[in-house]
Amino acid sequence: MNGRLAARLAAMPLSGRIGFALVLFWLVVAVAGPLTAPHPVGKFVDEEVFSPASAQHWLGSDYLGRDVLSRLMWGARYTVLLALGAAALAVATGTSIALFAAIRGGLVDEVISRAMDTLISIPSKIFALVLVAAFGSSLALLMLIAAFTYIPGNYRIARALAVNLVGMDFVQVARARGEGAIHIAWREVLPNMIHPLLADMGLRFVFIVLLLSGLSFLGLGVQPPHADLGSLVRENISGLPQGASAILSPALAIATLTVGANLLIDALKGGGEA
Amino acid sequence: MAAPAANAPVWLGLTRVVLQRIASALLTLLLVSIVIFAAASLLPGDAAQEVLGQSATPEQVAALRHEMGLDQPAVTRYLDWLAALLGGDPGRSYIADMQVTELIGARLVNSLSLAGITALVSVALALTIGIVSAINRGSKLDRALNIVTLSLVALPEFLIATVFVLLFSVKLVWLPSIAMVSPEATWSEMLRSMALPVACLTFVVSAQMARLTRAAVADQLDRPYVEMARLKGVTFRRIILFHVLPNAAGPVLNAIALSLSYLMGGALIIETIFSFPGLASLMVNAVTSRDMPLLQACAMIFCAAYLALILIADIVAILANPRLRS
Amino acid sequence: MIGQTSPAVEVSGLNIALDLPDGSSRAIVDNVSFAIPKGEVLALIGESGSGKTTIALAMMGYSRFGATISADRIRIGDMQIDALGERALGKVRGSRVAYIAQSAAAAFNPSRTIISQVIEPLIVHGLASRKEAREKAIGLFSALALPSPETIGDRYVHQVSGGQLQRLMAAMALITDPELIILDEPTTALDVTTQVEVLKTFKQAIVASGATAIYVSHDLAVVAQVADQIVVLKDGRMVEQGKAGDLLRSPQSDYTHSLIAAARPVNRAAAPDEAEALLTVEAVHAGYGRVRDGRAAIPVISDVSLALGKGCSLGIIGESGSGKSTLARVIGGLLPASAGAIRLGGELLAPGLAGRSREQLRQIQLVFQNADTALNPMQTVRDAIARPLAFYHGIRGAAADARVAELLDVIQLQPSLAERRTSELSGGQKQRVNLARALAAEPRVLLCDEVTSALDTVVGAAILDLIDALRRQMGIATIFISHDISTVRAFCDEMLVLYSGRVVETCSKAAFSTPVHHPYTELLIDSVPALDPGWLAMLGERHAPAIADTPADEALCPFLARCPVAIAGTCDSQPPSLRETAGMRLLCHAVQPQLASEALNQ
């Protein structure tokens, strides 16, 4: 398994390897970051606000004189884990519904697909805003809202894949053998969808990171005392005229995470047909 | 084996197909209105309580509930809301003590002009990048553009906005960082104040649009009819203009419509950052203040705009494609 | 100037290599040389991967996937193709060398009118004005026997049938009076009855134009009709080259021998007659969409009846769209019949899968047409074969492994293949695994749906031999579904002909050789090219034009519009009557099966 991963990496274009490194870096930061953060996340450690990078504070201090690097490490955890959870949830749910619809077919499929078409015609950020207004924005709710917002998109892709596979002769053979729906979904159809589904999950992850940090930036996402990367940008917005590190670092952190994920997914898909 | 198509039935059939698409879009919009109404006014706590605050007496709350019609069954409330909406009255704001239409009025125009200018710029830019990329497939240029657009679609809007403000307002002091759009402003003032929001949105939208355009054109380039044209000695220029573009038109239009819908998401952040008095920033305020009638109205406008875009792309694609036409 | 005796096309030492991503390169065409005298047709024949299309395209200096062409010489007339640059080649392509592709449906641009593409070579090479070009195109349309030549060009691809499109593409190639025409499997995608017509028109058109031609095909019998010379290719190398007649009569290489043998299936012994019926289909209707009164909204098969005896083989034959695969799906329960009955061993089967017991499902096994899609690419060979063992017989673990090994032996595959993913197998290996999976269920009835149509001729012939041997050995009643009447004739005890979803003829092996058949069956028999260069010429004008629609009235004979012996006043007003004698049932007014029994008695 490791050998295959290494071979895959070696075969990738440079952009893919950079992407892999960036994603890996942020995953490590999300898991281990808070343990290695130089300062407690909420502690005022600098007399100056918006101070530039220095030996004590590698990324400077924020609008209250807190250590930006430490806050960034904590923020990355919220951003990465929330988005990862939401993306996994969205893909698991969307794909399960898609498999059900594709294998059942007929009226069941039509009704589900129509419902999903309705949801997908509400632009995702608009939809998320309505849901946040309605339900609020605790961490668990944010994850559910982000997942729910991207279920229809995953459903559409998974259903297209599944319908295609269900029409294939090997599924017809399994049905003619008398296999049940569960066997067909789990053994015949799903294994053939795994790669595109993983790519889709990667894309959903990127969308969700952008959605959640956008919401936090608007003050509608992760609420204090918690802070994800988007919240960090928001709370330091007054440092913009100085070009403070406190506002640029978290914004760049998000960008390196999402760009890295995008580069990796693109390379795994075969890097286009070039 | 199809029979040769006479003229009259083609037009008849075409009208039928177009009407079908319109009807389908309207049905979707109706379903969307149910979802939005349900999400915004059925599930959450009590709006009357919300408006009056914690100190209100139960009697006051009950009175307001009655006044707002909250004691009616959900279906009745939905139908009332829908009927009013169709009559052009989305209700009264909980917070601003104004009709929602008044709040929306001028801001809708602002947002439309922001979206319109952005659309013009980004369509031109994206089509150029997408087509150039596709016809130079596999070249250094194509690979470079791939990496650039791939990275741009993944950038958070506020990063782009922050960098632009730092660059053009703070360092170079060319453009204002706050977009003041007042009725008295001259055209040049208008344009200057909209320059940064438009630039940011263009970045967000055109990267995605260029990628989708490239994919649509590249897909056509792989078709056997392109190889056939090459084997007929047709020049590359003519292959692109005469053969590929007419076939790519449908998918490209679809790509444009889809990407323009990104505008709405982008506008939420960009309008807020630049304090642009548009619909998106109004919607963000509505969420913050949980002003449900205003929120519902804004959401419906965005959804209607999105569906209209997709519908137009769809219909133009039908008109452009002889197979769909018949 | 080129001398009188010098050939019109001369190729020597042609090599084509594909650059691989790791920097190395792989030869796909290796040292090919040939020459074609002016006005003659050279056929390049071979199976998939033989390099035949690659060689043909190299005549235009064109290669796919960026493969590199190098040659001592590629000369067409006074042009040295291998010495020309891309710009000069652009001037040659479509003007002096023209190409006809396998699938006209894909090679025409769907959003431009056909005529605008047909005249395009004249326009882009500046050889004629638009008006002249149009006139010339219309002239070619009528020369190529296209209906309404004045207006057919104004249609789009989706409005024209496959056979017509192929002729329209020929017009596009001929319009510049090229010196060399390349025909790349131009009739392969067509039904057999259409193929004959198109082949005939092509042959006439090439002769009339005086052009030299290269005809690429996998089908020796087709090639026999058009070629003066044949080059046999295998894996990018020339195996044999010679005059068409000589090569077909006395092939020198083993490979050519095997190609010819595969094209001529040997007749197999018929089953001992009057075996007890195992599977019967009685007046079955089926189709798609809403079912009302036992008829589907889009009916595909109507009133189909058949009986399959124990251990016997039945061939079902028909063209694309005749409903033959649908019939297999209906018998297998995948598509529930809307009316009628299916019985297995006297037991009535439910129309849909859900109503059938596992034991009933086990007894009927399907082998699908395309082995590439019939096997789950994520499974290993063992997974694929072991599943029915566990599902039907509860065999698992070591016992299953042993049985899988046994089955692999039966289908003549190495036991080591068990661990391979099915996606790593060759087409022939896949089809064998596909068969093994069906055999693992130990069925009483095997439904083989076009099992060889996706395979190369020689590989396909081996699969058919294997199925035939195994079904006899294991006593499995088998239904072969095919578009190829000669296969059915060789392998089946009985034959059933479907046309437009209706059975127009059923006949026994013995009755098949009599001269009396349904007019459609006769058309099918006549349309199969023989391995004889004179066949097409001999065929003469016996053919009815294959361009017509089915009658509006469902009750009437479905073949009416194409029938050469239809009786006016009878066939177009009364439903066809069923005529039955020993060994034969016909649905026809015009043909008297009594004659058949008389012929049989002689």
Side-chain angles (χ1 to χ4, degrees):
Chain A
M1 204 57 198
N2 279 335
R4 254 169 66 193
L5 183 68
R8 197 89 193 259
L9 272 175
M12 256 189 231
L14 180 64
S15 61
R17 276 177 278 169
I18 294 175
F20 178 76
L22 286 171
V23 171
L24 194 65
F25 172 77
W26 285 113
L27 282 177
V28 170
V29 169
V31 174
L35 302 174
T36 52
H39 298 278
V41 67
K43 198 172 179 201
F44 309 114
V45 292
D46 195 347
E47 321 239 302
E48 307 242 337
V49 297
F50 294 132
S51 61
S54 64
Q56 289 88 24
H57 307 292
W58 289 3
L59 293 176
S61 66
D62 75 351
Y63 76 114
L64 293 174
R66 292 172 295 191
D67 180 50
V68 170
L69 178 62
S70 307
R71 292 190 64 74
L72 195 71
M73 287 173 146
W74 279 94
R77 164 171 281 192
Y78 286 105
T79 296
V80 171
L81 296 187
L82 272 182
L84 215 50
L89 196 60
V91 170
T93 319
T95 304
S96 306
I97 303 175
L99 283 170
F100 179 71
I103 290 169
R104 271 303 189 76
L107 193 64
V108 174
D109 182 28
E110 259 173 57
V111 170
I112 296 178
S113 293
R114 183 83 223 189
M116 290 292 180
D117 274 349
T118 304
L119 292 179
I120 216 169
S121 44
I122 308 178
S124 48
K125 285 188 177 158
I126 306 291
F127 194 31
L129 276 190
V130 173
L131 292 176
V132 164
F135 298 100
S137 49
S138 70
L139 290 178
L141 272 174
L142 276 177
M143 187 160 101
L144 286 177
I145 287 172
F148 191 68
T149 307
Y150 285 105
I151 286 174
N154 173 262
Y155 169 85
R156 184 181 268 196
I157 287 181
R159 182 182 169 276
L161 289 167
V163 164
N164 195 8
L165 287 165
V166 166
M168 299 271 258
D169 289 345
F170 67 82
V171 176
Q172 301 292 317
V173 168
R175 290 177 56 176
R177 195 189 304 140
E179 301 282 5
I182 307 252
H183 173 93
I184 290 178
W186 191 251
R187 288 300 182 80
E188 305 285 349
V189 179
L190 193 61
N192 289 291
M193 298 165 61
I194 282 297
H195 286 285
L197 277 182
L198 284 177
D200 187 59
M201 187 168 128
L203 285 179
R204 306 276 146 209
F205 171 76
V206 171
F207 291 151
I208 292 172
V209 167
L210 292 174
L211 173 73
L212 289 178
S213 34
L215 285 176
S216 293
F217 176 78
L218 294 172
L220 303 169
V222 177
Q223 300 297 323
H226 309 296
D228 69 350
L229 295 174
S231 323
L232 296 184
V233 178
R234 174 186 175 80
E235 63 189 24
N236 291 302
I237 196 79
S238 57
L240 178 58
Q242 293 116 285
S245 155
I247 179 169
L248 285 177
S249 315
L252 283 173
I254 297 167
T256 47
L257 170 63
T258 51
V259 170
N262 248 4
L263 291 175
L264 177 64
I265 297 161
D266 188 59
L268 285 178
K269 276 196 283 191
E273 57 279 57
Chain B
M1 283 289 222
N7 265 337
V10 167
W11 283 108
L12 213 64
L14 197 57
T15 320
R16 215 187 61 213
V17 172
V18 168
L19 287 177
Q20 265 172 5
R21 300 293 164 113
I22 294 176
S24 161
L26 287 176
L27 176 65
T28 307
L29 190 61
L30 185 73
L31 294 172
V32 164
S33 76
I34 295 177
V35 174
I36 289 187
F37 183 83
S41 56
L42 291 183
L43 299 160
D46 195 321
Q49 184 79 55
E50 194 91 8
V51 170
L52 293 171
Q54 289 303 317
S55 58
T57 64
E59 291 73 31
Q60 285 172 311
V61 174
L64 186 63
R65 279 179 61 91
H66 181 68
E67 196 186 316
M68 293 168 83
L70 293 182
D71 49 355
Q72 301 284 321
V75 177
T76 317
R77 279 158 57 204
Y78 169 69
L79 291 176
D80 287 348
W81 174 71
L82 188 67
L85 195 66
L86 290 175
D89 173 26
R92 201 169 172 78
S93 162
Y94 288 170
I95 310 298
D97 197 29
M98 279 166 90
Q99 287 299 323
V100 167
T101 40
E102 279 177 67
L103 280 166
I104 288 177
R107 284 174 169 253
L108 182 59
V109 177
N110 289 343
S111 276
L112 280 178
S113 36
L114 179 64
I117 298 173
T118 308
L120 280 181
V121 178
S122 51
V123 167
L125 191 66
L127 287 187
T128 314
I129 295 176
I131 293 172
V132 165
S133 233
I135 62 187
N136 293 299
R137 262 189 315 172
S139 69
K140 281 218 171 71
L141 177 71
D142 176 40
R143 275 179 294 185
L145 284 174
N146 175 42
I147 300 291
V148 169
T149 53
L150 192 60
S151 306
L152 279 179
V153 289
L155 288 187
E157 293 92 352
F158 51 77
L159 176 67
I160 300 174
T162 312
V163 171
F164 274 28
V165 167
L166 272 179
L167 205 64
F168 295 106
S169 303
V170 179
K171 292 273 186 287
L172 299 168
V173 210
W174 284 354
L175 295 164
S177 67
I178 302 286
M180 289 301 195
V181 185
S182 64
E184 302 91 62
T186 64
W187 268 104
S188 72
E189 279 172 342
M190 268 280 277
L191 284 181
R192 259 175 65 81
S193 70
M194 281 172 97
L196 278 183
V198 166
C200 293
L201 280 175
T202 302
F203 255 77
V204 175
V205 175
S206 45
Q208 183 66 20
M209 206 186 289
R211 290 187 70 77
L212 294 174
T213 304
R214 180 197 177 277
V217 175
D219 172 54
Q220 291 298 325
L221 282 169
D222 284 335
R223 300 288 169 102
Y225 72 81
V226 170
E227 179 175 79
M228 188 70 226
R230 289 189 64 184
L231 292 175
K232 286 195 291 183
V234 180
T235 57
F236 191 64
R237 202 184 133 81
R238 186 177 157 95
I239 288 180
I240 297 295
L241 295 177
F242 185 84
H243 289 289
V244 169
L245 288 186
N247 286 295
V252 166
L253 272 167
N254 203 7
I256 292 177
L258 271 178
S259 321
L260 285 180
S261 73
Y262 272 56
L263 254 178
M264 302 173 192
L268 290 171
I269 307 251
I270 299 296
E271 287 192 2
T272 306
I273 289 188
F274 292 101
S275 309
F276 183 87
L279 200 60
S281 53
L282 184 67
M283 183 170 175
V284 173
N285 293 339
V287 177
T288 317
S289 56
R290 300 190 38 126
D291 190 348
M292 290 306 173
L294 180 58
L295 179 66
Q296 287 170 342
C298 292
M300 285 306 294
I301 292 175
F302 281 121
C303 293
Y306 174 73
L307 282 170
L309 275 174
I310 300 288
L311 180 65
I312 291 168
D314 206 17
I315 291 177
V316 177
I318 291 172
L319 296 179
N321 185 333
R323 190 196 301 265
L324 294 180
R325 211 154 56 198
S326 55
Chain C
M1 282 300 291
I2 304 300
Q4 200 69 47
T5 52
S6 156
V9 176
E10 210 183 336
V11 173
S12 64
L14 175 64
N15 290 299
I16 302 173
L18 197 59
D19 295 324
L20 299 175
D22 61 13
S24 66
S25 74
R26 185 167 62 87
I28 45 179
V29 171
D30 188 7
N31 194 21
V32 167
S33 305
F34 54 80
I36 320 172
K38 185 167 167 32
E40 286 204 356
V41 179
L42 173 98
L44 296 174
I45 196 152
E47 305 188 322
S48 54
S50 63
K52 54 191 191 298
T53 296
T54 314
I55 295 170
L57 288 172
M59 298 304 107
M60 309 175 86
Y62 182 86
S63 64
R64 288 177 180 156
F65 317 114
T68 317
I69 303 171
S70 59
D72 297 336
R73 141 179 288 197
I74 304 175
R75 184 182 59 75
I76 299 169
D78 57 357
M79 294 176 299
Q80 201 74 29
I81 296 292
D82 51 323
L84 296 181
E86 194 60 29
R87 180 178 279 270
L89 285 171
K91 293 208 168 74
V92 173
R93 294 176 189 154
S95 64
R96 299 180 62 180
V97 185
Y99 181 73
I100 298 176
Q102 174 170 355
S103 165
F108 273 114
N109 184 335
S111 52
R112 292 281 178 186
T113 58
I114 287 168
I115 197 156
S116 73
Q117 301 175 62
V118 170
I119 62 171
E120 200 177 13
L122 283 178
I123 306 293
V124 296
H125 294 292
L127 298 172
S129 72
R130 197 161 284 275
K131 187 163 170 295
E132 290 161 1
R134 216 186 136 83
E135 277 161 15
K136 186 159 186 191
I138 290 169
L140 279 169
F141 292 163
S142 47
L144 288 164
L146 281 158
S148 34
E150 294 283 338
T151 55
I152 192 168
D154 297 323
R155 299 193 202 169
Y156 293 93
V157 173
H158 68 278
Q159 298 170 318
V160 183
S161 73
Q164 292 172 359
L165 274 178
Q166 220 62 39
R167 294 175 214 220
L168 288 163
M169 189 156 56
M172 181 159 79
L174 291 166
I175 199 158
T176 54
D177 301 314
E179 296 165 47
L180 175 64
I181 304 174
I182 295 161
L183 301 100
D184 189 358
E185 303 251 16
T187 63
T188 306
L190 303 175
D191 268 325
V192 62
T193 54
T194 319
Q195 166 174 283
V196 183
E197 299 303 319
V198 173
L199 208 54
K200 219 190 301 182
T201 346
F202 276 14
K203 190 171 182 179
Q204 285 162 0
I206 295 171
V207 171
S209 76
T212 310
I214 293 179
Y215 196 103
V216 174
S217 180
H218 70 285
D219 188 337
L220 266 179
V222 164
V223 157
Q225 311 313 317
V226 291
D228 299 299
Q229 272 189 78
I230 296 178
V231 170
V232 181
L233 295 157
K234 183 166 169 42
D235 302 328
R237 289 197 177 84
M238 288 171 62
V239 175
E240 192 170 350
Q241 176 176 22
K243 288 249 170 264
D246 300 347
L247 190 135
L248 291 172
R249 231 173 295 116
S250 50
Q252 300 300 307
S253 73
D254 292 346
Y255 181 67
T256 314
H257 262 293
S258 68
L259 276 182
I260 291 175
R264 282 185 180 141
V266 182
N267 250 328
R268 308 302 153 110
D273 38 49
E274 299 311 309
E276 185 190 340
L278 175 61
L279 176 81
T280 59
V281 172
E282 295 151 25
V284 158
H285 292 253
Y288 296 91
R290 189 183 295 259
V291 176
R292 190 175 288 170
D293 300 333
R295 303 286 180 273
I298 308 159
V300 180
I301 54 173
S302 329
D303 199 21
V304 170
S305 299
L306 61 85
L308 175 66
K310 265 186 188 149
C312 291
S313 63
L314 170 72
I316 297 176
I317 168 152
E319 290 173 287
S320 53
S322 61
K324 55 190 191 303
S325 291
T326 304
L327 180 55
R329 290 166 54 82
V330 169
I331 295 173
L334 282 165
L335 179 73
S338 57
I342 301 169
R343 281 175 222 279
L344 179 67
E347 208 177 311
L348 185 67
L349 293 181
L353 289 169
R356 298 188 185 181
S357 71
R358 189 174 286 201
E359 184 57 18
Q360 288 172 335
L361 292 171
R362 179 188 67 77
Q363 297 185 31
I364 301 179
Q365 290 291 313
L366 285 116
V367 182
F368 277 94
Q369 174 174 28
N370 193 338
D372 283 330
T373 57
L375 293 172
N376 187 335
M378 295 300 282
Q379 289 180 347
T380 62
V381 170
R382 180 206 306 281
D383 293 338
I385 301 176
R387 179 63 194 170
L389 293 176
F391 188 78
Y392 291 127
H393 305 292
I395 303 175
R396 290 187 172 79
D401 288 349
R403 185 80 183 108
V404 169
E406 255 175 63
L407 283 163
L408 285 176
D409 186 51
V410 165
I411 55 161
Q412 300 160 15
L413 286 184
Q414 296 294 320
S416 60
L417 284 177
E419 303 307 326
R420 292 268 195 94
R421 285 254 178 107
T422 57
S423 53
E424 297 165 19
L425 304 181
S426 73
Q429 288 173 328
K430 280 180 190 164
Q431 202 56 289
R432 283 168 197 262
V433 173
N434 201 357
L435 177 63
R437 177 174 58 185
L439 294 176
E442 295 170 21
R444 299 171 78 189
V445 176
L446 195 62
L447 292 174
C448 298
D449 185 3
E450 297 257 25
V451 286
T452 61
S453 66
L455 301 174
D456 283 322
T457 329
V458 175
V459 179
I463 295 278
L464 279 178
D465 282 337
L466 179 67
I467 296 179
D468 190 60
L470 290 177
R471 76 159 185 92
R472 285 169 196 272
Q473 197 181 320
M474 302 177 181
I476 304 170
T478 307
I479 294 182
F480 286 99
I481 291 169
S482 177
H483 65 280
D484 177 6
I485 201 163
S486 50
T487 304
V488 165
R489 179 181 192 171
F491 284 93
C492 300
D493 304 328
E494 204 172 357
M495 177 185 78
L496 180 151
V497 183
L498 272 183
Y499 186 79
S500 263
R502 297 171 64 185
V503 180
V504 294
E505 175 170 347
T506 321
C507 82
S508 68
K509 196 170 197 119
F512 189 91
S513 47
T514 67
V516 179
H517 287 288
H518 188 278
Y520 176 61
T521 314
E522 224 157 303
L523 178 63
L524 282 177
I525 297 172
D526 284 353
S527 299
V528 179
L531 270 179
D532 165 12
W535 174 80
L536 190 63
M538 265 172 38
L539 199 60
E541 298 303 316
R542 283 210 296 160
H543 270 284
I547 313 154
D549 294 325
T550 43
D553 188 345
E554 256 182 62
L556 293 180
C557 174
F559 191 59
L560 180 61
R562 288 170 68 180
C563 185
V565 295
I567 306 165
T570 307
C571 291
D572 51 7
S573 62
Q574 295 163 28
S577 51
L578 183 69
R579 312 198 169 205
E580 202 165 346
T581 49
M584 184 173 269
R585 287 150 65 103
L586 291 180
L587 201 61
C588 187
H589 285 298
V591 177
Q592 301 293 327
Q594 284 84 345
L595 292 175
S597 58
E598 281 163 24
L600 207 57
N601 292 335
Q602 283 167 8

